Amino acid sequence: MKDFAKLFATFVLAIALTACSQQSTEEAADAVPAETAGEFIARVNTEYKDWWRELNAAGWLRATYINEDSAVVDALANERYAAWHSGMVKKALKYDGQEMAPETRRALDIFKMSALLVAPDDDAKRKEQAQILTDLGGMYGAGTYCRSDDDCLSLPELEDIIAQSRDYDKLLEAWQGWRTISPPMRDKYTRFAELANEGAREFGYADMGDMWRSYYDMSSAEFTTETARLWQQVEPLYEELHCHVRAKLGEVYGEDKVPLDGPIPAHLLGNMWAQQWSFIYDLLEPYPGVSDLDVDSTLKTKDYSPQEMVRSAETFYASLGMRHLPDTFWERSMFSKPADRDVVCHASAWNLDGDEDLRIKMCIKQTFDELRTIYHELGHNYYQWAYNQQPMLFRDGAHGGFHEAIGDTVVLSMTPEYLVEVGLVAKTEQSKEAIINRQMQQALDRIAFLPFGKLIDEWRWGVFSGEIAPADYNKAWWELRLRYQGIAPPVQRTEANFDPGAKYHVPGNVSYTRYFLAHVLMFQFHRTLCELAEHEGDLHACSVFGSKEAGERFHAMLETGASVPWQDTLEKLTGTREMDASAIIDYFAPLMAYLKEQNEGRSCGW
Ligand code: X8Z
Ligand code: ZN
């Protein structure tokens, strides 16, 4: 999530030092720039690195120690950074239309879009916006549901209920309970959107959504079309899964609660946001008892510590030829939920100084789901580490979807055979039934996620463009949830609620289409890595664990960072310049056949 890094090639450093001596001349705002574009970018890279360190120190403190003081430090760092950024962007705009090296042009474009906080060029408004974002993050992180003064449940506790309980009313209470944290965010979020739009317009974008969509080496309109195209490719898979899951939930909870021709109540899918459904696998296991992949039990019976779970992920990356994580990673990461203070438990991976100060922040539990998330987070860390030889502005993923896909590509290699090899399950079977069981488990994660991954930003694009007015925030949210996911709130929702605020990335202001794209890309990457590892046979049976050939090419992609358009990076690894869902469709072919058979005679859709 947090990307970028430091370390400069000597020539960049030399130019940067020259640039520093020219700082006073560039104060004359309207004058012809005293620096060449290349010199200017070198200076941005240097200064940005210092900002990066400061912002991340404040951000880390805020996320791992939520209190009044960290709020002050975080808001101030963001406000000061935003002032610097907006001043520098104004200068950057003066180079528009000038001849320059392509990598300088790219760096300038990236810089204009790289605002962590897009605020208007006005001290008071900048301060207000930084404060709002710090507050929203804190409200989410410290959010609890209290039945009474001394009976409060945190998010991880509420998530456990949603994952484990099969009692309709108990699930409902946890679902509603968590959503009591977000109504107070509504006014703040409304104001945030106004200010962010004002800032985006000053940078030349139609609104903040337009700015987000412009980050993909194509026009904003092309990007909208591109995501719609990918969704169309995968929609049939989702509809089959939805139909089958709904039928099974109807058997468990009764058709009065889960009508077979309508949307699924949002609290029954094992996840607080109904975004990934693997926690209800027990209700869906196609062939009960065949090839037991119960990693949860192993983690609990062998009493894996959070550190041991992280080591397991590190061992995988090392098997691809990557380095072992630095000592500071182990010393400075937050692996568990501290008992004495509020923290943001939502998992994230950081590079605090842009160089090697890599860390993850998680409240690790002993589940397979969490283990997969650890592999996901280390994907970010290994990416950050690999591109730290790039100039600062290129220390980022080829695009956000690449960043999110690295760790998940590795997760696709956690095959039953791999799990046996590392002692996470006792034995595995090679039958057709075993394959379908595993695919069901994976589809509940990967296929179920697709519409969710698509709709979150569709809501925000609407909010930022003004198409969704504040008076319709919640209504529009549930319309999208219905349209894409075929789910509905279990109780009536009104504009007194603000359900988008109960999802981390909304108050956290993290764009979300990246995850949708990652769910397409990870299968493309996996297909290529499996070819490099000379895997023969079905794609779903491939693990690249231990393959130095696959690891080398994978790492070469990571090192490239954001230095070239993502299409070039994709082509270099996979031979194609397009994101394409055919790999995910191939991968799940066995399960789709099973689902179609199961759904015969059912009326699917909602
Ligand atoms: O936020 C995350 C990661 C951190 S980048 C844990 N994910 C999305 C979410 O939880 O909503 C991974 C899957 C989607
Ligand atoms: Zn991530």
Side-chain angles (χ1 to χ4, degrees):
M1 186 177 307
K2 302 265 178 177
D3 322 321
F4 303 83
K6 121 175 180 185
L7 214 91
F8 297 109
T10 325
F11 81 96
V12 174
L13 195 59
I15 294 169
L17 290 173
T18 320
C20 286
S21 59
Q22 295 171 331
Q23 230 158 332
S24 55
T25 44
E26 46 81 17
E27 298 307 333
D30 296 323
V32 175
E35 299 160 294
T36 65
E39 287 165 347
F40 174 74
I41 280 300
R43 179 155 69 89
V44 167
N45 273 319
T46 307
E47 293 179 14
Y48 187 34
K49 176 116 189 352
D50 290 340
W51 282 112
W52 181 254
R53 180 73 192 94
E54 187 176 333
L55 280 169
N56 276 287
W60 179 267
L61 185 66
R62 175 67 178 157
T64 60
Y65 223 118
I66 301 176
N67 65 19
E68 310 71 30
D69 304 321
S70 64
V72 172
V73 171
D74 186 50
L76 196 59
N78 276 291
E79 182 193 331
R80 293 178 55 244
Y81 164 76
W84 172 79
H85 182 263
S86 99
M88 291 300 260
V89 167
K90 270 197 205 147
K91 288 172 188 141
L93 291 174
K94 293 192 183 138
Y95 295 98
D96 279 356
Q98 280 192 17
E99 287 279 317
M100 64 185 80
E103 61 274 18
T104 307
R105 177 80 268 158
R106 181 167 178 79
L108 275 171
D109 289 345
I110 287 179
F111 182 58
K112 281 189 270 177
M113 290 181 288
S114 71
L116 303 176
L117 177 76
V118 182
D121 190 15
D122 172 294
D123 283 345
K125 287 181 178 169
R126 227 171 356 234
K127 189 176 165 73
E128 183 186 1
Q129 196 183 3
Q131 191 62 53
I132 289 176
L133 278 181
T134 294
D135 289 350
L136 286 173
M139 287 160 88
Y140 187 93
T144 52
Y145 160 56
C146 295
R147 295 179 181 122
S148 63
D149 281 353
D150 55 359
D151 180 13
C152 292
L153 294 171
S154 67
L155 177 58
E157 289 164 332
L158 292 163
E159 285 186 274
D160 279 348
I161 296 173
I162 296 277
Q164 288 156 20
S165 172
R166 302 291 176 249
D167 177 319
Y168 190 95
D169 293 327
K170 201 169 166 200
L171 289 166
L172 182 58
E173 190 197 358
W175 189 92
Q176 279 186 282
W178 176 241
R179 283 160 181 76
T180 57
I181 68 144
S182 50
M185 295 178 187
R186 178 184 268 270
D187 290 344
K188 285 182 191 290
Y189 194 78
T190 308
R191 180 68 180 145
F192 161 73
E194 279 170 15
L195 292 169
N197 276 338
E198 219 179 302
R201 282 182 197 121
E202 285 176 16
F203 289 168
Y205 299 94
D207 58 63
M208 179 75 168
D210 183 43
M211 180 165 166
W212 279 4
R213 290 189 301 276
S214 301
Y215 210 82
Y216 286 86
D217 296 308
M218 58 176 77
S219 76
S220 169
E222 282 165 344
F223 182 68
T224 308
T225 310
E226 186 64 358
T227 52
R229 177 183 70 80
L230 293 170
W231 168 241
Q232 266 178 9
Q233 268 189 295
V234 296
E235 197 178 359
L237 267 60
Y238 180 72
E239 281 180 8
E240 294 291 342
L241 182 68
H242 178 280
C243 192
H244 182 61
V245 168
R246 179 175 63 189
K248 288 287 171 188
L249 289 175
E251 286 170 22
V252 175
Y253 294 102
E255 289 177 24
D256 55 326
K257 297 269 196 328
V258 187
L260 297 189
D261 55 357
I264 302 173
H267 62 314
L268 304 181
L269 290 154
N271 174 279
M272 184 56 90
W273 305 274
Q275 64 180 66
Q276 285 135 330
W277 307 345
S278 58
F279 281 114
I280 57 164
Y281 175 72
D282 58 315
L283 306 179
L284 286 142
E285 189 173 22
Y287 300 100
V290 175
S291 191
D292 184 7
L293 293 181
D294 191 355
V295 177
D296 289 24
S297 302
T298 316
L299 294 171
K300 289 185 177 95
T301 44
K302 293 192 182 171
D303 197 20
Y304 268 68
S305 69
Q307 280 82 353
E308 283 168 323
M309 290 171 71
V310 180
R311 281 277 179 216
S312 153
E314 185 199 34
T315 303
F316 196 115
Y317 289 89
S319 88
L320 298 176
M322 300 188 195
R323 293 163 285 184
H324 284 273
L325 290 160
D327 290 345
T328 49
F329 170 88
W330 299 99
E331 290 154 14
R332 299 174 188 172
S333 286
M334 186 191 96
F335 297 127
S336 309
K337 189 174 190 307
D340 61 342
R341 60 185 196 265
D342 288 322
V343 299
V344 180
C345 275
H346 191 90
S348 53
W350 303 54
N351 186 350
L352 277 279
D353 63 354
D355 292 336
E356 299 213 336
D357 191 353
L358 305 162
R359 305 180 202 175
I360 61 167
K361 175 187 67 56
M362 280 183 75
C363 302
I364 297 174
K365 299 177 195 169
Q366 284 170 326
T367 66
F368 189 27
D369 186 61
E370 291 276 285
L371 188 66
R372 290 194 300 267
T373 301
I374 295 168
Y375 280 59
H376 171 98
E377 296 307 334
L378 286 203
H380 287 304
N381 276 157
Y382 275 100
Y383 208 169
Q384 292 160 340
W385 206 4
Y387 58 57
N388 77 359
Q389 302 294 317
Q390 296 286 347
M392 195 62 194
L393 285 165
F394 295 155
R395 292 182 201 185
D396 200 354
H399 68 49
F402 281 63
H403 227 301
E404 297 303 334
I406 304 309
D408 286 354
T409 302
V410 170
V411 169
L412 290 176
S413 279
M414 297 174 86
T415 54
E417 291 69 29
Y418 165 77
L419 294 174
V420 170
E421 195 173 336
V422 298
L424 284 166
V425 295
K427 62 175 172 36
T428 160
E429 289 170 41
Q430 298 283 355
S431 62
K432 178 174 170 287
E433 289 77 13
I435 291 170
I436 299 295
N437 274 0
R438 171 166 181 251
Q439 289 226 318
M440 177 64 84
Q441 210 177 46
Q442 292 179 292
L444 290 173
D445 237 359
R446 300 303 179 200
I447 307 253
F449 181 78
L450 292 162
F452 185 81
K454 178 81 174 73
L455 77 86
I456 302 297
D457 278 354
E458 215 153 300
W459 180 80
R460 278 189 290 201
W461 294 347
V463 166
F464 291 133
S465 74
E467 221 165 283
I468 299 173
D472 296 323
Y473 276 174
N474 223 48
K475 182 167 148 270
W477 174 259
W478 285 106
E479 280 170 3
L480 285 164
R481 297 270 265 166
L482 176 65
R483 168 139 66 88
Y484 278 98
Q485 286 187 284
I487 67 163
V491 286
Q492 213 203 335
R493 309 305 279 171
T494 70
E495 296 304 324
N497 306 114
F498 181 56
D499 295 324
K503 174 66 198 161
Y504 169 78
H505 301 71
V506 174
N509 194 35
V510 181
S511 64
Y512 210 81
T513 311
R514 62 184 68 200
Y515 300 106
F516 172 70
L517 300 176
H519 277 66
V520 172
L521 282 171
M522 67 177 84
F523 290 91
Q524 276 183 275
F525 294 162
H526 184 61
R527 181 157 64 185
T528 297
L529 297 185
C530 289
E531 282 163 16
L532 291 165
E534 297 183 4
H535 170 80
E536 282 169 16
D538 293 330
L539 193 54
H540 57 78
C542 163
S543 174
V544 301
F545 182 57
S547 169
K548 300 285 183 290
E549 294 75 18
E552 200 176 307
R553 281 278 293 281
F554 204 29
H555 199 261
M557 175 170 92
L558 305 189
E559 283 173 6
T560 309
S563 61
V564 295
W566 64 262
Q567 292 90 339
D568 295 354
T569 308
L570 184 64
E571 187 174 20
K572 212 166 142 205
L573 182 74
T574 67
T576 164
R577 299 180 65 78
E578 282 216 327
M579 293 184 277
D580 169 39
S582 66
I584 186 173
I585 294 166
D586 288 354
Y587 190 97
F588 282 110
L591 184 74
M592 281 308 117
Y594 168 83
L595 288 176
K596 284 203 171 111
E597 210 178 279
Q598 294 291 310
N599 288 333
E600 225 166 85
R602 290 177 181 152
S603 96
C604 295
W606 51 88

